[in-house]
Amino acid sequence: MPHDYQFCFGPWNLSEGQDPYGPTTRPTQTFDWKLAQLKSLGFAAMMFHDDDAVPDIDQKSAAQILREAGELKRRLDGEGIVAEMVAPRLWFSPHTIDGAYTSNDPEHRRYAIERSLRTIDIARVLGTDLIVLWLAREGTYVREAKDPARAVEHLVTALDRMLAHDPTIRLAIEPKPNEPMDHAYVPTIGHALALATLTRDPKRVGALIESAHCILAGLDPGDEIAFAMAFGKLWSLHLNDQNGLKFDQDKPFGSTNLRSAFDQVRVLERNGYGRQGEYVCFDVHPFRTTRPEHWLAHLDNSRRTFLRLVDKVRSFDEARARELVAARDYQALDQLVIEHLLGPA
Ligand code: XUL
Ligand code: MN
């Protein structure tokens, strides 16, 4: 049976246009403004970094963090918006310059774990059991700078501490092969799921897949999604697009490769993504050139494209596709997909 999807984005997806070479191009907006935009677009949920939920988190006591998280929860409830996940932002602090869980400095590794435990506390107050771990600086610029086997041990230690802190939370690792690091230690979904097996509770360690991150690893996002779903481990999703091997572009979903976007949606449909309450999140950014009056278009467009592709998947002639597969006529299968996407002449 076809089902409906629930959509989500984070406050960082209404970014102000800064890049490494230039300042913002749109005025800074408050969190309240971003929440109001999410509501106006009819999205059901918001994702959070720990300091999106509790700003200046490192300056606050555990009690104050819980109090502010409680205030946010009441605001979200008042707006009818769900918190989809909380992710520790472990890449800003002076304590995470050389990585967080895999830093060479034991004090810094301790900081990263403690901060992650606060993230879990926030998530519980916000009513979500999902912790997302984008392992931003867990890798190297210089290969000899760290011991890669030790790095695995450090990662498992950190995951185990989080799992022990709260027996109800689930950890979703968001793999990315590079940027900001030259090479990351958990570049693909296979690495994430392999890491899960070393933890004290593998069934509570899963994954979040981002389309652009798969492309940066030279992999097919639809295949990565299918791989995670085959293990029952796809607990969240960041749909977007990426034009080849360059900086992480976070382009609107389908913007570069509509056929790959179709394939991603087809995999989601065929494997029942969303049936356990998983959200479709768009980790997309406005182009730097976007004027303030067009600030929401990348999110609205990503959802429009996604929903159009759901229709395309549901109206695809699967029976004909099966015949062509049985006849090993992949040339005709290729054209069947192309003409279906093109629509009537
Ligand atoms: C970075 C990225 C992050 C995570 C959340 O490339 O995708 O925004 O999704 O920390
Ligand atoms: Mn992401």
Side-chain angles (χ1 to χ4, degrees), residues 12 49 87 91 134 174 176 210 213 238 248 283:
W12 65 93
H49 291 114
W91 50 95
W134 171 45
E174 179 179 353
K176 181 177 177 182
E210 174 165 325
H213 297 177
H238 286 181
D248 186 5
D283 198 355

Side-chain angles (χ1 to χ4, degrees), residues 190-246:
H191 289 79
L193 297 191
L195 198 61
T197 66
L198 296 181
T199 65
R200 58 186 282 150
D201 195 358
K203 66 179 184 312
R204 289 197 287 135
V205 183
L208 180 162
I209 288 182
E210 174 165 325
S211 326
H213 297 177
C214 303
I215 297 165
L216 285 170
L219 298 171
D220 180 77
D223 282 0
E224 290 286 272
I225 289 170
F227 188 88
M229 292 193 79
F231 286 81
K233 291 284 197 175
L234 190 64
W235 297 342
S236 187
L237 183 64
H238 286 181
L239 294 181
N240 58 14
D241 213 346
Q242 169 75 25
N243 191 12
L245 300 179
K246 50 186 77 169

Side-chain angles (χ1 to χ4, degrees), residues 149-204:
R150 269 297 274 145
V152 173
E153 290 170 19
H154 288 323
L155 286 168
V156 172
T157 300
L159 296 172
D160 279 347
R161 283 288 307 280
M162 287 183 254
L163 292 166
H165 184 67
D166 185 329
T168 67
I169 53 117
R170 295 176 297 148
L171 305 174
I173 299 174
E174 179 179 353
K176 181 177 177 182
N178 63 283
E179 201 210 30
M181 306 315 292
D182 180 12
H183 285 285
Y185 287 133
V186 185
T188 71
I189 200 66
H191 289 79
L193 297 191
L195 198 61
T197 66
L198 296 181
T199 65
R200 58 186 282 150
D201 195 358
K203 66 179 184 312
R204 289 197 287 135

Side-chain angles (χ1 to χ4, degrees), residues 19-280:
D19 70 14
Y21 303 98
T24 57
T25 55
R26 292 176 289 277
T28 305
Q29 294 289 0
T30 61
F31 172 78
D32 286 352
W33 182 86
K34 294 182 180 184
L35 184 60
Q37 307 315 306
L38 181 131
K39 234 183 108 95
S40 78
L41 282 172
F43 279 56
M46 188 176 248
M47 41 186 184
F48 290 91
H49 291 114
D50 52 2
D51 57 358
D52 294 321
V54 179
D56 303 319
I57 187 169
D58 282 336
Q59 271 65 61
K60 293 177 179 164
S61 68
Q64 193 173 355
I65 290 169
L66 287 179
R67 200 163 46 247
E68 290 189 26
E71 283 160 20
L72 175 60
K73 170 69 171 150
R74 281 187 286 284
R75 241 158 73 219
L76 293 174
D77 285 349
E79 302 288 350
I81 300 296
V82 169
E84 192 247 354
M85 63 82 164
V86 187
R89 195 195 298 273
L90 293 172
W91 50 95
F92 261 46
S93 159
H95 302 296
T96 57
I97 290 171
D98 190 27
Y101 310 132
T102 65
S103 170
N104 281 330
D105 183 333
E107 263 312 305
H108 291 175
R109 293 201 297 274
R110 254 192 297 281
Y111 161 83
I113 290 175
E114 282 306 316
R115 174 135 174 192
S116 304
L117 303 187
R118 299 292 79 74
T119 300
I120 292 169
D121 298 341
I122 293 170
R124 299 314 295 161
V125 174
L126 295 186
T128 177
D129 66 350
L130 193 62
I131 306 298
V132 168
L133 301 173
W134 171 45
L135 302 170
R137 299 194 189 277
E138 315 300 4
T140 55
Y141 305 108
V142 174
R143 309 278 355 112
E144 298 80 6
K146 289 182 185 173
D147 176 340
R150 269 297 274 145
V152 173
E153 290 170 19
H154 288 323
L155 286 168
V156 172
T157 300
L159 296 172
D160 279 347
R161 283 288 307 280
M162 287 183 254
L163 292 166
H165 184 67
D166 185 329
T168 67
I169 53 117
R170 295 176 297 148
L171 305 174
I173 299 174
E174 179 179 353
K176 181 177 177 182
N178 63 283
E179 201 210 30
M181 306 315 292
D182 180 12
H183 285 285
Y185 287 133
V186 185
T188 71
I189 200 66
H191 289 79
L193 297 191
L195 198 61
T197 66
L198 296 181
T199 65
R200 58 186 282 150
D201 195 358
K203 66 179 184 312
R204 289 197 287 135
V205 183
L208 180 162
I209 288 182
E210 174 165 325
S211 326
H213 297 177
C214 303
I215 297 165
L216 285 170
L219 298 171
D220 180 77
D223 282 0
E224 290 286 272
I225 289 170
F227 188 88
M229 292 193 79
F231 286 81
K233 291 284 197 175
L234 190 64
W235 297 342
S236 187
L237 183 64
H238 286 181
L239 294 181
N240 58 14
D241 213 346
Q242 169 75 25
N243 191 12
L245 300 179
K246 50 186 77 169
F247 63 94
D248 186 5
Q249 295 180 303
D250 293 335
K251 295 179 86 173
F253 183 54
S255 157
T256 300
N257 189 337
L258 206 48
R259 182 168 180 177
S260 165
F262 169 78
D263 289 331
Q264 290 170 63
V265 176
R266 187 160 174 259
V267 166
L268 295 171
E269 281 274 295
R270 285 160 76 112
N271 295 286
Y273 185 80
R275 288 188 196 280
Q276 316 288 330
E278 306 93 341
Y279 286 84
V280 172

